[in-house]
Amino acid sequence: MRILVLGGDGYLGWPTALHLSDCGHEVAVADNFARRSYDHEMGVQSLAPIESLQTRVAAWREVSGKDIQAYYGDLVDGEFTVDMIRDFRPDTIVHFAEQRAAPYSMIDRKHAVYTQQNNVVGNLNVLFAIEEVDPEIHLVKLGTMGEYGTPNIDIEEGWIDVEHKGRTDRMLFPKKPGSFYHLSKVHDSHNIEFACRIWGLRATDLNQGVVYGQETPQTVRDPRLATRFDYDAIFGTVLNRFVIQAVLGHPLTVYGSGSQTRGVIDIRDTVECIRLAAENPAEAGEFRVFNQMTESFSVEEIAKVVANGYEGSVDVEYLTNPRVEQAEHYYNVVHTGLVELGLDPHLLSNTLIHSLFRVAEQHKHRVDTAAMRPTVQWREASSPMRGLN
Ligand code: NAD
């Protein structure tokens, strides 16, 4: 299969491209390096050093003998997007290429507008390009579990049968997102469902949980193939951040009571889910949704897993929650679709935690501890940016 990975220079896009290439697919990646520029803007960096995309691609050719074609450009540029898709002629497009940090989208007006413009317009350009070049192309789009929020009913895989005043219909599952970033994903989902319904496109929306881990069987084949490992309060996902705090001997910073519960997934399962979705495409006209998570944990439980897995002593510090989210809530998510396609999940085990401790230990001299304190306040429309006016 020919697979184009949009956002292929990012935390998940790069290991996914390697996994798909390793499985024998013809892979190309595209990126505008926006993620690397957020690092400069925020004054932070990935804990594990990462190479340029050019070096990564050359290293993969060296270790595997396989080529990954690379496109440099911005999906917000509709001409670039359509030309690239016409040039590569993929069977499947995997779309990771969005601004993905909720706190970044909540800094102020400028960052909220950027996030929604980048994500919603980029995704629309991809939909129009597929329709123009070849409506048979299967779009595999990364959404997030955060689109649903925490409703007091079971969360289904994208659709729900509703009975209202004696009549029934199958509707998109209601969404209650928690940031301008999560809202951009809801807007994307609606635009994709609409394109499937009116143009007959085929799409899979993957509502993914919080990803943890940094290594996959392909990235460990050469240090130049490493993917990002973010720990700062803007881009660091919770488990990765706790691991680094444990290694540094800092308290794990739990927001609020820590009873807020989220779906999570191991990075090795993320890349495998993408392969399964790509190799088993949605039908023409189908908007298929999977909840791409394997387990649920409260933030406090995640802190305990990290504390118990670490050899040294670990403290937990409870901070006033900078976000607006329900502390006590019901959380029961249906996530059987990908397992039915063949996913055999890696559940959160000490094995993975230990490999993360090792990576954190190796690079701990690169940590900027101040970057781990949350500065973005959901209750304020404008938060100061660290060290900048
Ligand atoms: P990332 O920021 O590391 O990667 C995204 C990549 O897309 C970056 O390399 C960035 O430069 C690129 N990009 C952004 N806007 C672009 C544009 N307009 N044109 C071209 N390239 C652009 O993020 P990630 O953690 O790898 O996440 C990938 C996707 O998965 C995102 O859509 C995110 O919302 C989703 N997701 C991630 C997580 C997680 O825990 N990391 C959880 C749920 C969903």
Side-chain angles (χ1 to χ4, degrees), residues 60-119:
W60 180 242
R61 189 179 305 121
E62 226 177 278
V63 303
S64 73
K66 294 184 169 136
D67 274 320
I68 291 180
Q69 206 174 316
Y71 293 90
Y72 166 61
D74 190 335
L75 298 181
V76 171
D77 175 350
E79 298 299 312
F80 161 76
T81 305
V82 79
D83 289 348
M84 167 179 62
I85 293 174
R86 192 171 280 126
D87 184 65
F88 187 66
R89 287 308 293 248
D91 302 298
T92 303
I93 295 178
V94 182
H95 181 11
F96 286 103
E98 299 203 329
Q99 191 299 99
R100 70 107 172 122
Y104 188 90
S105 76
M106 297 299 289
I107 294 173
D108 56 13
R109 177 187 57 79
K110 199 174 114 192
H111 291 83
V113 170
Y114 164 77
T115 300
Q116 294 214 352
Q117 220 160 34
N118 185 62
N119 296 2

Short mmCIF file of all heavy atoms in Angstrom, two decimals, residues 60-119:
data_model
loop_
_atom_site.label_atom_id
_atom_site.label_comp_id
_atom_site.label_asym_id
_atom_site.label_seq_id
_atom_site.Cartn_x
_atom_site.Cartn_y
_atom_site.Cartn_z
N TRP A 60 17.24 5.73 8.33
CA TRP A 60 16.33 4.60 8.09
C TRP A 60 16.74 3.82 6.83
O TRP A 60 16.71 2.59 6.80
CB TRP A 60 14.88 5.10 7.98
CG TRP A 60 13.88 3.99 7.75
CD1 TRP A 60 13.06 3.84 6.67
CD2 TRP A 60 13.59 2.88 8.61
NE1 TRP A 60 12.27 2.72 6.80
CE2 TRP A 60 12.58 2.10 7.99
CE3 TRP A 60 14.07 2.46 9.85
CZ2 TRP A 60 12.05 0.93 8.56
CZ3 TRP A 60 13.56 1.30 10.43
CH2 TRP A 60 12.57 0.55 9.78
N ARG A 61 17.16 4.58 5.81
CA ARG A 61 17.62 3.92 4.57
C ARG A 61 18.84 3.04 4.89
O ARG A 61 18.93 1.90 4.45
CB ARG A 61 17.97 4.97 3.52
CG ARG A 61 18.25 4.36 2.14
CD ARG A 61 18.59 5.41 1.08
NE ARG A 61 17.57 6.44 0.95
CZ ARG A 61 17.77 7.74 1.13
NH1 ARG A 61 18.97 8.19 1.47
NH2 ARG A 61 16.80 8.61 0.99
N GLU A 62 19.73 3.58 5.73
CA GLU A 62 20.95 2.86 6.10
C GLU A 62 20.63 1.57 6.87
O GLU A 62 21.19 0.52 6.58
CB GLU A 62 21.75 3.77 7.02
CG GLU A 62 23.22 3.88 6.72
CD GLU A 62 23.82 4.89 7.68
OE1 GLU A 62 23.70 6.09 7.38
OE2 GLU A 62 24.37 4.48 8.73
N VAL A 63 19.71 1.64 7.85
CA VAL A 63 19.49 0.45 8.69
C VAL A 63 18.48 -0.53 8.07
O VAL A 63 18.52 -1.72 8.38
CB VAL A 63 19.03 0.78 10.14
CG1 VAL A 63 20.02 1.68 10.85
CG2 VAL A 63 17.64 1.37 10.18
N SER A 64 17.59 -0.04 7.20
CA SER A 64 16.53 -0.94 6.70
C SER A 64 16.61 -1.18 5.19
O SER A 64 15.95 -2.08 4.68
CB SER A 64 15.15 -0.34 7.00
OG SER A 64 14.93 0.77 6.14
N GLY A 65 17.36 -0.32 4.48
CA GLY A 65 17.39 -0.43 3.02
C GLY A 65 16.12 0.12 2.38
O GLY A 65 15.93 -0.01 1.18
N LYS A 66 15.26 0.77 3.20
CA LYS A 66 13.98 1.26 2.64
C LYS A 66 13.96 2.78 2.55
O LYS A 66 14.50 3.46 3.42
CB LYS A 66 12.84 0.78 3.52
CG LYS A 66 12.72 -0.73 3.44
CD LYS A 66 11.54 -1.23 4.23
CE LYS A 66 11.32 -2.70 3.89
NZ LYS A 66 11.06 -3.51 5.05
N ASP A 67 13.26 3.27 1.53
CA ASP A 67 13.15 4.72 1.33
C ASP A 67 11.87 5.26 1.93
O ASP A 67 10.81 4.63 1.80
CB ASP A 67 13.13 5.03 -0.16
CG ASP A 67 14.54 5.15 -0.70
OD1 ASP A 67 15.40 5.72 0.00
OD2 ASP A 67 14.79 4.64 -1.81
N ILE A 68 11.97 6.42 2.55
CA ILE A 68 10.77 7.18 2.94
C ILE A 68 10.91 8.53 2.25
O ILE A 68 11.89 9.26 2.49
CB ILE A 68 10.67 7.35 4.47
CG1 ILE A 68 10.37 5.99 5.15
CG2 ILE A 68 9.59 8.36 4.83
CD1 ILE A 68 10.24 6.06 6.66
N GLN A 69 9.95 8.83 1.39
CA GLN A 69 9.99 10.11 0.68
C GLN A 69 9.54 11.21 1.65
O GLN A 69 8.64 10.95 2.47
CB GLN A 69 9.01 10.00 -0.48
CG GLN A 69 9.31 10.89 -1.65
CD GLN A 69 8.36 10.57 -2.81
OE1 GLN A 69 8.11 9.40 -3.11
NE2 GLN A 69 7.82 11.61 -3.43
N ALA A 70 10.12 12.41 1.56
CA ALA A 70 9.71 13.48 2.49
C ALA A 70 9.25 14.72 1.74
O ALA A 70 9.90 15.16 0.78
CB ALA A 70 10.87 13.82 3.42
N TYR A 71 8.11 15.27 2.16
CA TYR A 71 7.60 16.53 1.60
C TYR A 71 7.65 17.58 2.70
O TYR A 71 7.25 17.32 3.84
CB TYR A 71 6.14 16.39 1.15
CG TYR A 71 5.94 15.47 -0.02
CD1 TYR A 71 5.69 14.11 0.17
CD2 TYR A 71 5.98 15.96 -1.32
CE1 TYR A 71 5.49 13.26 -0.90
CE2 TYR A 71 5.78 15.11 -2.42
CZ TYR A 71 5.53 13.78 -2.20
OH TYR A 71 5.33 12.94 -3.27
N TYR A 72 8.10 18.79 2.34
CA TYR A 72 8.10 19.89 3.28
C TYR A 72 7.04 20.89 2.85
O TYR A 72 7.09 21.41 1.72
CB TYR A 72 9.50 20.56 3.30
CG TYR A 72 9.50 21.91 3.98
CD1 TYR A 72 9.15 22.02 5.32
CD2 TYR A 72 9.82 23.07 3.27
CE1 TYR A 72 9.12 23.25 5.94
CE2 TYR A 72 9.79 24.30 3.89
CZ TYR A 72 9.45 24.38 5.23
OH TYR A 72 9.40 25.60 5.85
N GLY A 73 6.06 21.14 3.71
CA GLY A 73 5.04 22.12 3.36
C GLY A 73 3.95 22.17 4.41
O GLY A 73 3.91 21.36 5.34
N ASP A 74 3.05 23.16 4.23
CA ASP A 74 2.02 23.46 5.22
C ASP A 74 0.65 23.06 4.67
O ASP A 74 0.27 23.51 3.57
CB ASP A 74 2.09 24.98 5.49
CG ASP A 74 1.23 25.38 6.67
OD1 ASP A 74 0.26 24.66 6.99
OD2 ASP A 74 1.53 26.43 7.26
N LEU A 75 -0.08 22.26 5.40
CA LEU A 75 -1.41 21.81 4.93
C LEU A 75 -2.39 22.97 4.80
O LEU A 75 -3.40 22.85 4.11
CB LEU A 75 -1.99 20.77 5.89
CG LEU A 75 -1.21 19.47 6.05
CD1 LEU A 75 -1.94 18.54 7.00
CD2 LEU A 75 -1.01 18.78 4.70
N VAL A 76 -2.10 24.08 5.50
CA VAL A 76 -2.98 25.24 5.38
C VAL A 76 -2.88 25.82 3.96
O VAL A 76 -3.77 26.52 3.49
CB VAL A 76 -2.63 26.28 6.48
CG1 VAL A 76 -3.34 27.59 6.27
CG2 VAL A 76 -2.98 25.69 7.85
N ASP A 77 -1.80 25.48 3.27
CA ASP A 77 -1.61 25.88 1.87
C ASP A 77 -2.27 24.80 0.98
O ASP A 77 -1.74 23.73 0.77
CB ASP A 77 -0.09 25.99 1.61
CG ASP A 77 0.24 26.28 0.16
OD1 ASP A 77 -0.66 26.22 -0.70
OD2 ASP A 77 1.42 26.56 -0.11
N GLY A 78 -3.47 25.15 0.49
CA GLY A 78 -4.27 24.18 -0.27
C GLY A 78 -3.58 23.67 -1.53
O GLY A 78 -3.72 22.51 -1.90
N GLU A 79 -2.81 24.57 -2.19
CA GLU A 79 -2.12 24.16 -3.43
C GLU A 79 -1.05 23.12 -3.12
O GLU A 79 -0.92 22.11 -3.82
CB GLU A 79 -1.42 25.38 -4.09
CG GLU A 79 -2.37 26.49 -4.51
CD GLU A 79 -3.38 26.01 -5.53
OE1 GLU A 79 -2.95 25.37 -6.50
OE2 GLU A 79 -4.59 26.25 -5.34
N PHE A 80 -0.28 23.39 -2.08
CA PHE A 80 0.76 22.44 -1.68
C PHE A 80 0.12 21.07 -1.39
O PHE A 80 0.60 20.02 -1.85
CB PHE A 80 1.52 22.94 -0.43
CG PHE A 80 2.25 21.84 0.28
CD1 PHE A 80 3.44 21.32 -0.24
CD2 PHE A 80 1.74 21.27 1.45
CE1 PHE A 80 4.11 20.28 0.40
CE2 PHE A 80 2.40 20.22 2.09
CZ PHE A 80 3.58 19.72 1.56
N THR A 81 -0.97 21.09 -0.65
CA THR A 81 -1.60 19.84 -0.21
C THR A 81 -2.07 19.03 -1.42
O THR A 81 -1.80 17.82 -1.52
CB THR A 81 -2.77 20.15 0.75
OG1 THR A 81 -2.26 20.96 1.81
CG2 THR A 81 -3.40 18.90 1.33
N VAL A 82 -2.75 19.67 -2.34
CA VAL A 82 -3.28 18.93 -3.49
C VAL A 82 -2.14 18.46 -4.40
O VAL A 82 -2.15 17.31 -4.88
CB VAL A 82 -4.36 19.75 -4.23
CG1 VAL A 82 -3.77 20.80 -5.13
CG2 VAL A 82 -5.28 18.85 -5.04
N ASP A 83 -1.12 19.30 -4.58
CA ASP A 83 0.01 18.91 -5.44
C ASP A 83 0.74 17.70 -4.86
O ASP A 83 1.14 16.78 -5.58
CB ASP A 83 1.01 20.06 -5.61
CG ASP A 83 0.43 21.17 -6.48
OD1 ASP A 83 -0.61 20.94 -7.11
OD2 ASP A 83 1.01 22.28 -6.50
N MET A 84 0.95 17.71 -3.54
CA MET A 84 1.66 16.60 -2.88
C MET A 84 0.86 15.30 -3.04
O MET A 84 1.43 14.25 -3.36
CB MET A 84 1.84 16.93 -1.39
CG MET A 84 2.26 15.75 -0.55
SD MET A 84 2.47 16.21 1.17
CE MET A 84 0.81 16.73 1.63
N ILE A 85 -0.44 15.37 -2.85
CA ILE A 85 -1.25 14.15 -2.93
C ILE A 85 -1.31 13.65 -4.38
O ILE A 85 -1.23 12.45 -4.64
CB ILE A 85 -2.66 14.41 -2.33
CG1 ILE A 85 -2.50 14.65 -0.82
CG2 ILE A 85 -3.63 13.26 -2.61
CD1 ILE A 85 -3.76 15.07 -0.08
N ARG A 86 -1.34 14.59 -5.32
CA ARG A 86 -1.31 14.19 -6.73
C ARG A 86 0.03 13.56 -7.08
O ARG A 86 0.11 12.60 -7.84
CB ARG A 86 -1.59 15.42 -7.61
CG ARG A 86 -1.85 15.03 -9.05
CD ARG A 86 -2.33 16.20 -9.90
NE ARG A 86 -3.74 16.50 -9.72
CZ ARG A 86 -4.23 17.68 -9.40
NH1 ARG A 86 -3.42 18.70 -9.19
NH2 ARG A 86 -5.52 17.87 -9.25
N ASP A 87 1.10 14.08 -6.49
CA ASP A 87 2.45 13.57 -6.78
C ASP A 87 2.65 12.18 -6.19
O ASP A 87 3.14 11.27 -6.86
CB ASP A 87 3.48 14.55 -6.20
CG ASP A 87 4.90 14.15 -6.55
OD1 ASP A 87 5.21 14.17 -7.75
OD2 ASP A 87 5.67 13.79 -5.64
N PHE A 88 2.24 11.97 -4.92
CA PHE A 88 2.54 10.68 -4.28
C PHE A 88 1.48 9.62 -4.58
O PHE A 88 1.75 8.43 -4.56
CB PHE A 88 2.70 10.86 -2.75
CG PHE A 88 3.17 9.60 -2.06
CD1 PHE A 88 4.43 9.07 -2.31
CD2 PHE A 88 2.33 8.91 -1.19
CE1 PHE A 88 4.85 7.89 -1.70
CE2 PHE A 88 2.74 7.73 -0.57
CZ PHE A 88 4.01 7.22 -0.83
N ARG A 89 0.24 10.03 -4.85
CA ARG A 89 -0.88 9.14 -5.15
C ARG A 89 -1.02 8.02 -4.11
O ARG A 89 -0.90 6.83 -4.41
CB ARG A 89 -0.74 8.51 -6.55
CG ARG A 89 -1.00 9.48 -7.67
CD ARG A 89 -2.31 10.22 -7.55
NE ARG A 89 -3.46 9.35 -7.70
CZ ARG A 89 -4.31 9.39 -8.72
NH1 ARG A 89 -4.13 10.27 -9.68
NH2 ARG A 89 -5.33 8.57 -8.75
N PRO A 90 -1.29 8.41 -2.85
CA PRO A 90 -1.41 7.39 -1.79
C PRO A 90 -2.72 6.61 -1.88
O PRO A 90 -3.71 7.09 -2.45
CB PRO A 90 -1.42 8.22 -0.51
CG PRO A 90 -1.98 9.55 -0.94
CD PRO A 90 -1.55 9.77 -2.36
N ASP A 91 -2.72 5.38 -1.33
CA ASP A 91 -3.98 4.65 -1.11
C ASP A 91 -4.59 5.13 0.20
O ASP A 91 -5.81 5.13 0.37
CB ASP A 91 -3.70 3.14 -0.99
CG ASP A 91 -3.01 2.60 -2.22
OD1 ASP A 91 -3.62 2.68 -3.29
OD2 ASP A 91 -1.86 2.14 -2.11
N THR A 92 -3.71 5.48 1.15
CA THR A 92 -4.16 5.90 2.49
C THR A 92 -3.40 7.15 2.90
O THR A 92 -2.19 7.25 2.67
CB THR A 92 -3.85 4.79 3.53
OG1 THR A 92 -4.48 3.59 3.09
CG2 THR A 92 -4.33 5.15 4.92
N ILE A 93 -4.11 8.07 3.53
CA ILE A 93 -3.45 9.24 4.14
C ILE A 93 -3.67 9.15 5.63
O ILE A 93 -4.82 9.05 6.10
CB ILE A 93 -4.04 10.56 3.61
CG1 ILE A 93 -3.74 10.70 2.11
CG2 ILE A 93 -3.50 11.75 4.39
CD1 ILE A 93 -4.32 11.94 1.47
N VAL A 94 -2.59 9.17 6.41
CA VAL A 94 -2.69 9.20 7.86
C VAL A 94 -2.41 10.63 8.29
O VAL A 94 -1.34 11.16 8.01
CB VAL A 94 -1.66 8.25 8.52
CG1 VAL A 94 -1.83 8.26 10.02
CG2 VAL A 94 -1.81 6.83 7.97
N HIS A 95 -3.40 11.24 8.95
CA HIS A 95 -3.29 12.68 9.23
C HIS A 95 -3.05 12.95 10.73
O HIS A 95 -3.97 12.91 11.54
CB HIS A 95 -4.57 13.36 8.74
CG HIS A 95 -4.60 14.84 8.95
ND1 HIS A 95 -3.49 15.58 9.33
CD2 HIS A 95 -5.62 15.74 8.84
CE1 HIS A 95 -3.83 16.84 9.43
NE2 HIS A 95 -5.11 16.96 9.15
N PHE A 96 -1.77 13.22 11.05
CA PHE A 96 -1.36 13.59 12.42
C PHE A 96 -1.08 15.08 12.52
O PHE A 96 -0.77 15.57 13.61
CB PHE A 96 -0.01 12.92 12.76
CG PHE A 96 0.00 11.45 13.03
CD1 PHE A 96 0.46 10.55 12.08
CD2 PHE A 96 -0.39 10.96 14.26
CE1 PHE A 96 0.53 9.18 12.35
CE2 PHE A 96 -0.32 9.60 14.55
CZ PHE A 96 0.14 8.71 13.59
N ALA A 97 -1.07 15.80 11.39
CA ALA A 97 -0.41 17.11 11.31
C ALA A 97 -1.24 18.26 11.88
O ALA A 97 -1.75 19.11 11.14
CB ALA A 97 -0.04 17.40 9.85
N GLU A 98 -1.35 18.30 13.20
CA GLU A 98 -2.10 19.39 13.81
C GLU A 98 -1.35 19.91 15.04
O GLU A 98 -0.45 19.23 15.55
CB GLU A 98 -3.50 18.90 14.20
CG GLU A 98 -4.27 18.43 12.94
CD GLU A 98 -5.76 18.42 13.06
OE1 GLU A 98 -6.26 18.20 14.18
OE2 GLU A 98 -6.43 18.65 12.03
N GLN A 99 -1.73 21.10 15.51
CA GLN A 99 -1.23 21.60 16.79
C GLN A 99 -1.96 20.79 17.84
O GLN A 99 -3.17 20.84 17.91
CB GLN A 99 -1.52 23.10 16.89
CG GLN A 99 -0.82 23.82 18.04
CD GLN A 99 -1.18 23.30 19.42
OE1 GLN A 99 -0.42 22.51 20.03
NE2 GLN A 99 -2.31 23.71 19.93
N ARG A 100 -1.23 20.07 18.70
CA ARG A 100 -1.92 19.09 19.53
C ARG A 100 -1.89 19.31 21.05
O ARG A 100 -2.27 18.43 21.82
CB ARG A 100 -1.38 17.70 19.21
CG ARG A 100 0.04 17.44 19.67
CD ARG A 100 0.05 16.51 20.85
NE ARG A 100 1.39 16.09 21.22
CZ ARG A 100 1.89 16.31 22.42
NH1 ARG A 100 1.22 16.99 23.32
NH2 ARG A 100 3.10 15.85 22.71
N ALA A 101 -1.43 20.49 21.50
CA ALA A 101 -1.37 20.69 22.94
C ALA A 101 -2.54 21.55 23.41
O ALA A 101 -2.70 22.70 22.98
CB ALA A 101 -0.05 21.33 23.34
N ALA A 102 -3.36 20.99 24.34
CA ALA A 102 -4.47 21.77 24.88
C ALA A 102 -3.97 23.05 25.56
O ALA A 102 -4.49 24.14 25.27
CB ALA A 102 -5.28 20.90 25.86
N PRO A 103 -2.93 23.00 26.42
CA PRO A 103 -2.49 24.25 27.07
C PRO A 103 -2.02 25.30 26.05
O PRO A 103 -2.27 26.49 26.24
CB PRO A 103 -1.31 23.80 27.96
CG PRO A 103 -1.51 22.34 28.18
CD PRO A 103 -2.18 21.83 26.93
N TYR A 104 -1.38 24.86 24.96
CA TYR A 104 -0.92 25.82 23.95
C TYR A 104 -2.12 26.58 23.38
O TYR A 104 -2.08 27.79 23.19
CB TYR A 104 -0.17 25.07 22.84
CG TYR A 104 0.54 25.95 21.83
CD1 TYR A 104 1.86 26.34 22.02
CD2 TYR A 104 -0.11 26.37 20.66
CE1 TYR A 104 2.52 27.13 21.08
CE2 TYR A 104 0.54 27.16 19.73
CZ TYR A 104 1.86 27.54 19.94
OH TYR A 104 2.50 28.32 19.01
N SER A 105 -3.21 25.86 23.14
CA SER A 105 -4.39 26.50 22.56
C SER A 105 -5.11 27.42 23.54
O SER A 105 -5.98 28.19 23.16
CB SER A 105 -5.38 25.43 22.07
OG SER A 105 -6.07 24.85 23.15
N MET A 106 -4.77 27.30 24.83
CA MET A 106 -5.44 28.09 25.86
C MET A 106 -4.57 29.25 26.36
O MET A 106 -4.92 29.91 27.34
CB MET A 106 -5.82 27.19 27.05
CG MET A 106 -6.80 26.08 26.72
SD MET A 106 -8.41 26.65 26.12
CE MET A 106 -9.09 27.32 27.61
N ILE A 107 -3.41 29.51 25.71
CA ILE A 107 -2.52 30.59 26.19
C ILE A 107 -3.25 31.94 26.06
O ILE A 107 -3.34 32.69 27.01
CB ILE A 107 -1.19 30.61 25.40
CG1 ILE A 107 -0.38 29.34 25.70
CG2 ILE A 107 -0.39 31.87 25.73
CD1 ILE A 107 0.88 29.18 24.84
N ASP A 108 -3.74 32.20 24.86
CA ASP A 108 -4.42 33.49 24.62
C ASP A 108 -5.13 33.43 23.26
O ASP A 108 -5.13 32.38 22.59
CB ASP A 108 -3.43 34.67 24.67
CG ASP A 108 -2.28 34.50 23.68
OD1 ASP A 108 -2.36 33.62 22.80
OD2 ASP A 108 -1.29 35.25 23.79
N ARG A 109 -5.71 34.55 22.86
CA ARG A 109 -6.45 34.59 21.59
C ARG A 109 -5.60 34.12 20.42
O ARG A 109 -6.01 33.30 19.59
CB ARG A 109 -6.94 36.03 21.33
CG ARG A 109 -7.66 36.22 19.99
CD ARG A 109 -7.98 37.69 19.69
NE ARG A 109 -6.79 38.52 19.68
CZ ARG A 109 -5.92 38.60 18.67
NH1 ARG A 109 -6.12 37.91 17.58
NH2 ARG A 109 -4.86 39.39 18.75
N LYS A 110 -4.36 34.63 20.37
CA LYS A 110 -3.50 34.32 19.22
C LYS A 110 -3.28 32.81 19.08
O LYS A 110 -3.36 32.25 17.99
CB LYS A 110 -2.16 35.04 19.43
CG LYS A 110 -1.34 35.19 18.19
CD LYS A 110 -0.12 36.04 18.48
CE LYS A 110 1.12 35.19 18.32
NZ LYS A 110 2.33 35.79 18.81
N HIS A 111 -3.05 32.15 20.20
CA HIS A 111 -2.76 30.71 20.15
C HIS A 111 -4.02 29.88 19.90
O HIS A 111 -3.96 28.83 19.26
CB HIS A 111 -2.03 30.27 21.43
CG HIS A 111 -0.64 30.81 21.51
ND1 HIS A 111 -0.37 32.08 21.98
CD2 HIS A 111 0.56 30.27 21.15
CE1 HIS A 111 0.94 32.29 21.91
NE2 HIS A 111 1.52 31.22 21.41
N ALA A 112 -5.16 30.37 20.42
CA ALA A 112 -6.43 29.67 20.15
C ALA A 112 -6.78 29.77 18.66
O ALA A 112 -7.14 28.78 18.01
CB ALA A 112 -7.55 30.27 21.00
N VAL A 113 -6.63 30.99 18.12
CA VAL A 113 -6.97 31.20 16.70
C VAL A 113 -6.01 30.40 15.82
O VAL A 113 -6.42 29.73 14.87
CB VAL A 113 -6.94 32.71 16.35
CG1 VAL A 113 -7.05 32.92 14.85
CG2 VAL A 113 -8.07 33.44 17.07
N TYR A 114 -4.73 30.45 16.15
CA TYR A 114 -3.75 29.68 15.36
C TYR A 114 -4.12 28.19 15.35
O TYR A 114 -4.13 27.54 14.30
CB TYR A 114 -2.33 29.87 15.92
CG TYR A 114 -1.38 28.80 15.39
CD1 TYR A 114 -0.87 28.88 14.10
CD2 TYR A 114 -1.08 27.68 16.17
CE1 TYR A 114 -0.06 27.88 13.59
CE2 TYR A 114 -0.26 26.67 15.66
CZ TYR A 114 0.24 26.77 14.37
OH TYR A 114 1.03 25.77 13.87
N THR A 115 -4.42 27.67 16.55
CA THR A 115 -4.71 26.23 16.66
C THR A 115 -5.90 25.84 15.79
O THR A 115 -5.85 24.86 15.03
CB THR A 115 -4.98 25.84 18.13
OG1 THR A 115 -3.81 26.16 18.90
CG2 THR A 115 -5.31 24.37 18.29
N GLN A 116 -6.97 26.62 15.89
CA GLN A 116 -8.17 26.24 15.13
C GLN A 116 -7.96 26.46 13.63
O GLN A 116 -8.39 25.64 12.82
CB GLN A 116 -9.39 26.98 15.66
CG GLN A 116 -9.70 26.53 17.10
CD GLN A 116 -11.17 26.50 17.44
OE1 GLN A 116 -12.02 26.95 16.68
NE2 GLN A 116 -11.48 25.97 18.61
N GLN A 117 -7.26 27.55 13.28
CA GLN A 117 -7.01 27.80 11.85
C GLN A 117 -6.13 26.68 11.27
O GLN A 117 -6.43 26.12 10.23
CB GLN A 117 -6.27 29.12 11.73
CG GLN A 117 -6.71 29.96 10.59
CD GLN A 117 -6.31 31.41 10.83
OE1 GLN A 117 -5.25 31.69 11.41
NE2 GLN A 117 -7.14 32.33 10.41
N ASN A 118 -5.05 26.39 11.97
CA ASN A 118 -4.11 25.38 11.49
C ASN A 118 -4.82 24.03 11.34
O ASN A 118 -4.72 23.36 10.31
CB ASN A 118 -2.95 25.26 12.49
CG ASN A 118 -1.86 24.32 12.00
OD1 ASN A 118 -1.24 24.55 10.98
ND2 ASN A 118 -1.66 23.21 12.72
N ASN A 119 -5.54 23.63 12.39
CA ASN A 119 -6.11 22.29 12.40
C ASN A 119 -7.31 22.17 11.46
O ASN A 119 -7.38 21.26 10.64
CB ASN A 119 -6.49 21.89 13.83
CG ASN A 119 -5.26 21.82 14.74
OD1 ASN A 119 -4.14 22.08 14.32
ND2 ASN A 119 -5.47 21.46 15.99
#
